[in-house]
Short mmCIF file of all heavy atoms in Angstrom, two decimals:
data_model
loop_
_atom_site.label_atom_id
_atom_site.label_comp_id
_atom_site.label_asym_id
_atom_site.label_seq_id
_atom_site.Cartn_x
_atom_site.Cartn_y
_atom_site.Cartn_z
N TYR B 138 38.41 -76.30 13.77
CA TYR B 138 36.97 -76.09 13.95
C TYR B 138 36.64 -76.15 15.44
O TYR B 138 37.37 -76.80 16.21
CB TYR B 138 36.18 -77.14 13.17
CG TYR B 138 36.24 -76.90 11.69
CD1 TYR B 138 37.28 -77.42 10.92
CD2 TYR B 138 35.29 -76.11 11.06
CE1 TYR B 138 37.36 -77.17 9.55
CE2 TYR B 138 35.36 -75.85 9.69
CZ TYR B 138 36.40 -76.38 8.95
OH TYR B 138 36.47 -76.11 7.61
N PRO B 139 35.56 -75.49 15.86
CA PRO B 139 35.25 -75.47 17.30
C PRO B 139 35.21 -76.84 17.96
O PRO B 139 35.63 -76.99 19.11
CB PRO B 139 33.87 -74.80 17.34
CG PRO B 139 33.85 -73.91 16.15
CD PRO B 139 34.62 -74.64 15.10
N SER B 140 34.74 -77.85 17.24
CA SER B 140 34.66 -79.19 17.85
C SER B 140 36.03 -79.78 18.13
O SER B 140 36.15 -80.76 18.88
CB SER B 140 33.87 -80.13 16.94
OG SER B 140 34.49 -80.20 15.69
N GLN B 141 37.08 -79.19 17.55
CA GLN B 141 38.43 -79.71 17.78
C GLN B 141 39.11 -79.02 18.97
O GLN B 141 40.26 -79.32 19.27
CB GLN B 141 39.29 -79.51 16.52
CG GLN B 141 38.79 -80.31 15.32
CD GLN B 141 39.55 -79.96 14.05
OE1 GLN B 141 39.52 -78.83 13.59
NE2 GLN B 141 40.24 -80.94 13.50
N LEU B 142 38.41 -78.10 19.60
CA LEU B 142 39.02 -77.36 20.71
C LEU B 142 38.46 -77.80 22.06
O LEU B 142 37.37 -78.36 22.14
CB LEU B 142 38.74 -75.86 20.56
CG LEU B 142 39.21 -75.15 19.29
CD1 LEU B 142 38.93 -73.67 19.43
CD2 LEU B 142 40.68 -75.39 19.04
N SER B 143 39.22 -77.51 23.11
CA SER B 143 38.75 -77.80 24.47
C SER B 143 37.70 -76.75 24.86
O SER B 143 37.60 -75.69 24.22
CB SER B 143 39.91 -77.74 25.44
OG SER B 143 40.38 -76.41 25.53
N GLY B 144 36.96 -77.05 25.93
CA GLY B 144 35.91 -76.13 26.39
C GLY B 144 36.46 -74.75 26.72
O GLY B 144 35.88 -73.73 26.36
N GLY B 145 37.62 -74.73 27.38
CA GLY B 145 38.22 -73.46 27.79
C GLY B 145 38.64 -72.62 26.60
O GLY B 145 38.46 -71.40 26.58
N MET B 146 39.18 -73.30 25.60
CA MET B 146 39.64 -72.59 24.42
C MET B 146 38.45 -72.02 23.64
O MET B 146 38.50 -70.91 23.12
CB MET B 146 40.45 -73.53 23.55
CG MET B 146 41.60 -72.85 22.86
SD MET B 146 42.64 -74.02 22.07
CE MET B 146 44.22 -73.59 22.73
N LYS B 147 37.36 -72.80 23.60
CA LYS B 147 36.14 -72.33 22.92
C LYS B 147 35.65 -71.05 23.59
O LYS B 147 35.20 -70.12 22.92
CB LYS B 147 35.05 -73.40 23.02
CG LYS B 147 35.13 -74.46 21.97
CD LYS B 147 33.86 -75.28 22.02
CE LYS B 147 34.15 -76.72 21.72
NZ LYS B 147 33.03 -77.60 21.98
N LYS B 148 35.73 -71.03 24.94
CA LYS B 148 35.30 -69.83 25.67
C LYS B 148 36.11 -68.62 25.23
O LYS B 148 35.57 -67.53 25.06
CB LYS B 148 35.51 -70.05 27.18
CG LYS B 148 34.46 -70.92 27.82
CD LYS B 148 33.35 -70.07 28.41
CE LYS B 148 32.31 -70.96 29.04
NZ LYS B 148 31.07 -70.26 29.31
N ARG B 149 37.41 -68.82 25.07
CA ARG B 149 38.25 -67.69 24.70
C ARG B 149 37.99 -67.24 23.26
O ARG B 149 38.05 -66.06 22.95
CB ARG B 149 39.73 -68.05 24.90
CG ARG B 149 40.12 -67.95 26.38
CD ARG B 149 41.56 -68.20 26.60
NE ARG B 149 41.84 -69.63 26.54
CZ ARG B 149 42.97 -70.15 26.07
NH1 ARG B 149 43.91 -69.36 25.61
NH2 ARG B 149 43.15 -71.45 26.08
N VAL B 150 37.68 -68.22 22.41
CA VAL B 150 37.33 -67.85 21.02
C VAL B 150 36.03 -67.03 21.04
O VAL B 150 35.91 -66.01 20.35
CB VAL B 150 37.17 -69.12 20.14
CG1 VAL B 150 36.68 -68.74 18.75
CG2 VAL B 150 38.49 -69.86 20.03
N ALA B 151 35.07 -67.48 21.86
CA ALA B 151 33.79 -66.75 21.96
C ALA B 151 34.03 -65.34 22.48
O ALA B 151 33.39 -64.38 22.04
CB ALA B 151 32.84 -67.50 22.87
N LEU B 152 34.96 -65.23 23.41
CA LEU B 152 35.30 -63.92 23.97
C LEU B 152 35.93 -63.03 22.90
O LEU B 152 35.59 -61.84 22.78
CB LEU B 152 36.27 -64.13 25.14
CG LEU B 152 36.47 -63.01 26.11
CD1 LEU B 152 35.17 -62.56 26.72
CD2 LEU B 152 37.43 -63.44 27.23
N ALA B 153 36.82 -63.63 22.12
CA ALA B 153 37.45 -62.87 21.03
C ALA B 153 36.40 -62.38 20.04
O ALA B 153 36.43 -61.24 19.59
CB ALA B 153 38.47 -63.75 20.31
N ARG B 154 35.43 -63.24 19.72
CA ARG B 154 34.37 -62.85 18.78
C ARG B 154 33.50 -61.74 19.36
O ARG B 154 33.08 -60.83 18.64
CB ARG B 154 33.51 -64.08 18.45
CG ARG B 154 32.54 -63.82 17.33
CD ARG B 154 31.73 -65.04 16.99
NE ARG B 154 30.79 -65.39 18.03
CZ ARG B 154 29.96 -66.43 17.98
NH1 ARG B 154 30.00 -67.23 16.94
NH2 ARG B 154 29.12 -66.68 18.95
N ALA B 155 33.26 -61.82 20.68
CA ALA B 155 32.43 -60.79 21.31
C ALA B 155 33.12 -59.43 21.33
O ALA B 155 32.46 -58.40 21.27
CB ALA B 155 32.07 -61.22 22.73
N LEU B 156 34.46 -59.44 21.41
CA LEU B 156 35.18 -58.17 21.54
C LEU B 156 35.71 -57.62 20.22
O LEU B 156 36.22 -56.51 20.17
CB LEU B 156 36.33 -58.33 22.53
CG LEU B 156 35.95 -58.68 23.97
CD1 LEU B 156 37.18 -58.99 24.80
CD2 LEU B 156 35.15 -57.56 24.63
N ILE B 157 35.58 -58.41 19.16
CA ILE B 157 36.23 -58.03 17.88
C ILE B 157 35.68 -56.73 17.31
O ILE B 157 36.39 -56.00 16.62
CB ILE B 157 36.13 -59.19 16.85
CG1 ILE B 157 37.08 -58.98 15.67
CG2 ILE B 157 34.72 -59.40 16.34
CD1 ILE B 157 38.48 -59.33 15.94
N THR B 158 34.42 -56.41 17.61
CA THR B 158 33.84 -55.19 17.02
C THR B 158 34.02 -53.97 17.93
O THR B 158 33.46 -52.91 17.65
CB THR B 158 32.33 -55.40 16.76
OG1 THR B 158 31.75 -55.93 17.95
CG2 THR B 158 32.07 -56.35 15.62
N ASP B 159 34.79 -54.14 19.01
CA ASP B 159 34.99 -53.06 20.00
C ASP B 159 33.65 -52.47 20.44
O ASP B 159 33.39 -51.26 20.26
CB ASP B 159 35.90 -51.95 19.45
CG ASP B 159 37.29 -52.48 19.17
OD1 ASP B 159 37.69 -53.46 19.85
OD2 ASP B 159 37.97 -51.95 18.28
N PRO B 160 32.78 -53.30 21.01
CA PRO B 160 31.43 -52.82 21.34
C PRO B 160 31.40 -51.88 22.55
O PRO B 160 32.34 -51.87 23.35
CB PRO B 160 30.68 -54.12 21.68
CG PRO B 160 31.75 -55.05 22.13
CD PRO B 160 33.00 -54.68 21.42
N GLU B 161 30.31 -51.13 22.66
CA GLU B 161 30.16 -50.20 23.80
C GLU B 161 29.60 -50.92 25.02
O GLU B 161 29.84 -50.53 26.15
CB GLU B 161 29.22 -49.06 23.41
CG GLU B 161 29.82 -48.08 22.44
CD GLU B 161 28.83 -47.00 22.05
OE1 GLU B 161 28.03 -46.58 22.89
OE2 GLU B 161 28.87 -46.59 20.88
N ILE B 162 28.79 -51.93 24.75
CA ILE B 162 28.19 -52.71 25.84
C ILE B 162 28.50 -54.18 25.59
O ILE B 162 28.21 -54.69 24.49
CB ILE B 162 26.65 -52.51 25.89
CG1 ILE B 162 26.31 -51.03 26.03
CG2 ILE B 162 26.03 -53.32 27.02
CD1 ILE B 162 24.90 -50.68 25.62
N VAL B 163 29.09 -54.83 26.55
CA VAL B 163 29.39 -56.26 26.37
C VAL B 163 28.66 -57.06 27.45
O VAL B 163 28.75 -56.75 28.64
CB VAL B 163 30.91 -56.54 26.44
CG1 VAL B 163 31.19 -57.96 25.99
CG2 VAL B 163 31.68 -55.57 25.59
N LEU B 164 27.93 -58.05 27.01
CA LEU B 164 27.17 -58.89 27.93
C LEU B 164 27.86 -60.25 28.00
O LEU B 164 27.99 -60.94 26.98
CB LEU B 164 25.73 -59.04 27.44
CG LEU B 164 25.03 -57.74 27.01
CD1 LEU B 164 23.70 -58.04 26.36
CD2 LEU B 164 24.83 -56.83 28.21
N PHE B 165 28.33 -60.61 29.16
CA PHE B 165 29.06 -61.87 29.33
C PHE B 165 28.18 -62.85 30.11
O PHE B 165 27.86 -62.60 31.27
CB PHE B 165 30.34 -61.66 30.13
CG PHE B 165 31.31 -60.68 29.53
CD1 PHE B 165 31.29 -59.35 29.90
CD2 PHE B 165 32.26 -61.09 28.62
CE1 PHE B 165 32.19 -58.44 29.37
CE2 PHE B 165 33.17 -60.20 28.08
CZ PHE B 165 33.13 -58.87 28.45
N ASP B 166 27.83 -63.95 29.49
CA ASP B 166 27.03 -64.95 30.18
C ASP B 166 27.96 -66.07 30.65
O ASP B 166 28.35 -66.94 29.86
CB ASP B 166 25.95 -65.51 29.22
CG ASP B 166 24.87 -66.26 29.95
OD1 ASP B 166 25.05 -66.55 31.14
OD2 ASP B 166 23.85 -66.58 29.32
N GLU B 167 28.31 -66.02 31.90
CA GLU B 167 29.24 -66.98 32.52
C GLU B 167 30.51 -67.17 31.67
O GLU B 167 30.73 -68.25 31.10
CB GLU B 167 28.54 -68.32 32.77
CG GLU B 167 27.36 -68.16 33.71
CD GLU B 167 26.88 -69.47 34.29
OE1 GLU B 167 27.65 -70.44 34.30
OE2 GLU B 167 25.74 -69.51 34.75
N PRO B 168 31.33 -66.14 31.57
CA PRO B 168 32.50 -66.23 30.69
C PRO B 168 33.58 -67.20 31.16
O PRO B 168 34.41 -67.60 30.36
CB PRO B 168 33.04 -64.79 30.68
CG PRO B 168 32.58 -64.19 31.95
CD PRO B 168 31.26 -64.82 32.25
#
Side-chain angles (χ1 to χ4, degrees):
Chain B
Y138 288 87
S140 58
Q141 295 173 298
L142 302 185
S143 67
M146 216 171 233
K147 276 190 215 170
K148 282 266 180 195
R149 281 184 283 146
V150 174
L152 197 56
R154 189 178 69 180
L156 297 173
I157 194 79
T158 49
D159 297 332
E161 288 178 36
I162 303 160
V163 191
L164 313 172
F165 301 93
D166 195 348
E167 299 196 20

